[in-house]
Amino acid sequence: MDVDAELSVSRGAERDQDWAGSDAEAIHRDRYLVAERLYLDEVDPLPRMDAVVDNTDFARPRLMGV
C-alpha cells in the first residue's frame, strides 16, 4: 500500500481520536510514521514487491507498477 505520509498521519489521527484523544496526531506522527520510515530505510522493501496499491483515494485504489 502506498499513501502520502501526511495523509496517513491525518487518517490515523482521525481514526484513533476516540481512544487517543488529542494525542492521536502526535502518536501517528512521532511513533508510527517514524517507525515506517525506519522500516523503509532499513529493509528497502520495494525490490521485493510484486505490486503496489496507491491508496490515496479509498474509493479508487490504483494498482501501480513496481
Side-chain angles (χ1 to χ4, degrees), residues 22-47:
S22 63
D23 292 333
E25 183 175 342
I27 289 169
H28 281 271
R29 184 173 309 286
D30 301 336
R31 183 184 304 171
Y32 299 135
L33 186 57
V34 170
E36 179 186 6
R37 287 181 175 151
L38 285 170
Y39 166 75
L40 293 173
D41 288 345
E42 291 179 10
V43 176
D44 188 26
L46 190 58

